[in-house]
């Protein structure tokens, strides 16, 4: 692996700066690697600096796993660099017992950036309303019938251990539940900017600390909630949306939670199909929710008229934050400023 050295003249003194390691993926085989996974596998296991995996335009039908830290997955162009699969979580689990990496892109490393790429899990698009499969029972080993709806769990992007994850300028398309699932509930910090995210129930469902700005959320499953949060590990954990827009099939609900959660929405817009239902506790929620419903809004509006439940109430939040305070650094409690 070669590291380029850049010579910079500063006040007459020559300073040598190490350039980031950069490898190129090209499906034609004209570059160093034909698949993304080969490129990731070829990186050294550890690094204190970011390594760039530059992915040239093309359709990559592969499941990607990044267990290494300081990796930048960068597409040549957002609409033409596509990583795609058709994966239902239950079917994957039947075929790969004990393997949780059923998403199109699976992460375990820290300090990962994904930018300028389209990620797609098309299982819900490719299948009808329901499908029955035979799956071995985990305890008995005997086959049992399982019926899957087309909106069954199908992950596009998922992590269990990652923190300081940045997703910038990406399109993340799912046709099922839990499409975007960064799930490090203890120490996860995630930053989304200028992204489009689509899916069915709870399709954006971070655990830990999450901040999204200038993002568009598209709900495909009428009558279900679009966003979800789990912040049970720490009372300060929160999920924040700033300058985001929400649209969906009529009538979609904004959000819900199964565990202690905290929602902040600032300068957000909702289309006319938003149902008149405040963010709510799911019927199957955990019994040990301690801190109650915490959903805070400022300057949010709905096409066709606002609902009372998203009136300005930032003053009710802990510390009574003002709108100008609500940014990424505030969200992450000063631990990280992406």
């Amino acid at each position: 692996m070669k590291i380029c050295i850049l010579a910079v003249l500063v006040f007459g003194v020559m300073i040598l700066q190490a350039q980031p390691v950069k490898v190129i993926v090209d499906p034609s085989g004209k570059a160093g690697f034909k698949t993304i996974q080969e490129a990731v596998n070829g990186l050294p296991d550890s690094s204190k600096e970011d390594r760039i995996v530059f992915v040239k335009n093309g359709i990559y039908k592969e499941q990607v796993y990044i267990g290494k830290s300081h990796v930048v997955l960068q597409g040549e162009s957002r609409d033409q660099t596509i990583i795609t699969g058709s994966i239902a979580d239950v079917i994957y689990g039947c075929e790969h017992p004990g393997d949780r990496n059923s998403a199109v892109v699976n992460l375990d490393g820290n300090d990962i950036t994904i930018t300028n790429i389209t990620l797609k899990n098309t299982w819900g698009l490719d299948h009808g309303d329901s499908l029955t499969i035979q799956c071995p029972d985990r305890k008995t080993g005997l086959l049992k019938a399982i019926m899957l709806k087309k909106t069954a769990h199908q992950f596009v992007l998922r992590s269990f251990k990652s923190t300081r994850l940045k997703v910038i300028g990406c399109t993340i398309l799912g046709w099922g539940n839990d499409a975007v699932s960064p799930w490090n509930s203890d120490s996860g910090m995630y930053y989304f900017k200028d992204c489009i995210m689509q899916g069915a129930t709870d399709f954006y469902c971070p655990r830990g600390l999450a901040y999204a700005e200038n993002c568009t959320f598209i709900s495909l499953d009428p009558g279900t909630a679009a966003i979800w949060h789990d912040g049970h590990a720490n009372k300060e954990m929160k999920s924040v949306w700033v300058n985001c827009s929400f649209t969906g099939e009529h009538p979609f609900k904004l959000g819900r939670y199964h565990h202690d959660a905290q929602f902040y929405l600032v300068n957000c817009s909702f289309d006319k199909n938003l149902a008149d239902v405040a963010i709510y506790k799911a019927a199957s929620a955990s019994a040990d929710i301690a801190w109650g419903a915490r959903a805070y809004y400022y300057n949010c509006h709905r096409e066709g008229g606002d609902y009372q439940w998203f009136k300005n109430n930032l003053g009710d939040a802990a510390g009574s934050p003002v709108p100008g305070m609500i940014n990424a650094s505030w969200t992450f409690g000063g631990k990280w400023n992406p």
Side-chain angles (χ1 to χ4, degrees):
M1 187 70 66
K2 294 181 178 179
I3 299 178
C4 296
I5 303 297
L6 176 66
V8 180
L9 189 64
V10 180
F11 300 116
V13 178
M14 188 71 72
I15 298 176
L16 298 180
Q17 294 181 331
Q19 291 290 85
V21 171
K22 182 176 181 179
V23 298
I24 298 176
V25 183
D26 185 343
S28 70
K30 295 179 180 179
F33 299 93
K34 292 185 69 173
T35 72
I36 298 166
Q37 193 63 61
E38 289 174 346
V40 171
N41 291 347
L43 296 174
D45 287 341
S46 63
S47 173
K48 295 182 180 180
E49 305 295 334
D50 286 346
R51 289 81 58 80
I52 299 172
V53 178
F54 183 79
V55 186
K56 302 205 70 166
N57 289 342
I59 298 176
Y60 297 83
K61 296 182 178 181
E62 57 177 300
Q63 282 181 264
V64 176
Y65 173 76
I66 304 177
K68 301 173 182 179
S69 297
H70 289 290
V71 176
V72 178
L73 193 62
Q74 178 183 356
E76 182 178 6
S77 66
R78 175 175 182 157
D79 296 331
Q80 297 183 60
T81 307
I82 301 169
I83 308 173
T84 184
S86 184
I87 313 154
D89 179 62
V90 170
I91 295 175
Y92 186 88
C94 289
E95 297 174 346
H96 306 83
D99 183 349
R100 300 187 298 178
N101 295 315
S102 65
V104 173
V105 175
N106 304 273
L107 309 175
D108 274 333
N110 297 328
D111 299 290
I112 294 174
T113 299
I114 303 174
T115 183
N116 215 31
I117 292 178
T118 291
L119 311 177
K120 298 167 64 174
N121 187 339
T122 63
W123 194 88
L125 180 66
D126 300 336
H127 293 81
D129 289 338
S130 63
L131 174 70
T132 300
I133 66 168
Q134 298 292 323
C135 183
D137 184 89
R138 292 183 179 179
K139 293 182 179 180
T140 67
L142 299 176
L143 291 177
K144 64 178 181 179
I146 299 177
M147 189 184 76
L148 296 180
K149 296 181 179 179
K150 67 178 181 180
T151 55
H153 287 101
Q154 47 207 274
F155 304 99
V156 186
L157 175 67
R158 184 160 71 160
S159 67
F160 290 102
K161 301 177 182 178
S162 297
T163 190
R164 296 183 300 277
L165 167 65
K166 293 190 286 187
V167 184
I168 302 171
C170 290
T171 300
I172 308 174
L173 302 178
W175 282 262
N177 304 344
D178 294 20
V180 182
S181 297
W183 279 359
N184 179 348
S185 60
D186 294 325
S187 58
M189 294 185 287
Y190 326 107
Y191 174 76
F192 293 83
K193 182 178 180 181
D194 300 330
C195 290
I196 297 170
M197 292 176 253
Q198 169 191 285
T201 307
D202 305 338
F203 67 88
Y204 176 72
C205 51
R207 301 175 187 262
L209 293 161
Y211 180 85
E213 63 175 319
N214 302 329
C215 292
T216 299
F217 297 85
I218 305 170
S219 179
L220 299 181
D221 196 1
T224 65
I227 59 177
W228 183 95
H229 178 239
D230 172 12
H232 80 275
N234 187 307
K235 194 174 183 179
E236 302 304 316
M237 287 183 167
K238 58 182 71 74
S239 192
V240 178
W241 294 258
V242 175
N243 298 327
C244 292
S245 62
F246 295 81
T247 184
E249 298 290 336
H250 178 77
F252 75 95
K253 300 173 184 177
L254 181 58
R256 65 175 187 163
Y257 56 96
H258 287 78
H259 311 278
D260 277 299
Q262 192 169 192
F263 300 79
Y264 287 81
L265 291 97
V266 176
N267 300 330
C268 291
S269 63
F270 312 119
D271 80 0
K272 62 183 179 181
N273 289 332
L274 177 67
D276 190 4
V277 178
I279 292 175
Y280 63 96
K281 182 171 72 173
S284 56
S286 171
D288 60 353
I289 293 178
W291 303 310
R294 295 179 296 164
Y296 307 108
Y297 306 90
Y298 178 79
N299 192 35
C300 294
H301 299 286
R302 170 185 169 269
E303 178 188 355
D306 295 344
Y307 298 137
Q308 182 68 15
W309 51 266
F310 58 78
K311 66 180 181 181
N312 294 349
N313 68 339
L314 272 183
D316 297 336
S320 301
V322 297
M325 293 172 56
I326 311 297
N327 55 30
S329 180
W330 174 85
T331 299
F332 303 123
K335 298 176 182 177
W336 182 46
N337 188 2

